[in-house]
Amino acid sequence: MEFSILIFTIIFMSLIYLLIGFGINKVNAKYLLAGYNTMTAEQKQKFNIEKYLEFFNPFFKKLSIYPPLSFGLMYLLFEGEQLILIWSLTQMLPFIWFTIKSLKFKT
């Protein structure tokens, strides 16, 4: 039972990342993209949303393969609770990289 929940979680995460990668565009970014949706009209005009989405969308599309790949690797190296804990912690790594790379778009 526990293993099936873990597999469901991995598939769910991958699908969510894929939906984000394909779903966010210039039209709906003003509603869905955190940070951009709270900017004033003047700030939005200064911000190059097209260039940001050229970075954002491929990142999330590629990120969709990270949960199953990282789980496969962790499954070979660890067992039980250690596997789940280490795999869960590794899920934060791409977002650290994403945050650092996103800073270049700051206005």
Side-chain angles (χ1 to χ4, degrees):
M1 178 68 174
E2 183 178 299
F3 192 75
S4 61
I5 292 172
L6 187 58
I7 297 301
F8 174 78
T9 302
I10 293 167
I11 293 168
F12 182 74
M13 286 174 63
S14 293
L15 288 175
I16 293 295
Y17 294 152
L18 202 58
L19 287 172
I20 290 170
F22 281 106
I24 304 291
N25 56 46
K26 186 178 177 185
V27 174
N28 63 20
K30 60 186 170 190
Y31 305 112
L32 300 176
L33 198 57
Y36 186 72
N37 60 5
T38 59
M39 289 181 180
T40 64
E42 182 181 305
Q43 290 172 318
K44 285 180 183 177
Q45 200 169 26
K46 289 181 187 177
F47 188 76
N48 189 348
I49 188 68
E50 292 90 5
K51 194 74 171 166
Y52 183 72
L53 289 174
E54 286 175 16
F55 161 72
F56 182 90
N57 289 336
F59 172 82
F60 274 92
K61 290 173 187 174
K62 292 173 191 169
L63 183 63
S64 69
I65 64 170
Y66 184 73
L69 287 180
S70 60
F71 180 77
L73 178 63
M74 296 301 132
Y75 187 77
L76 295 173
L77 300 173
F78 305 102
E79 294 179 358
E81 290 180 11
Q82 190 179 27
L83 164 67
I84 295 169
L85 177 64
I86 293 172
W87 176 79
S88 298
L89 292 173
T90 62
Q91 298 311 297
M92 292 185 282
L93 296 176
F95 292 103
I96 294 169
W97 183 84
F98 176 78
T99 302
I100 292 167
K101 290 293 189 179
S102 292
L103 291 175
K104 73 177 182 181
F105 296 100
K106 192 174 181 181
T107 56

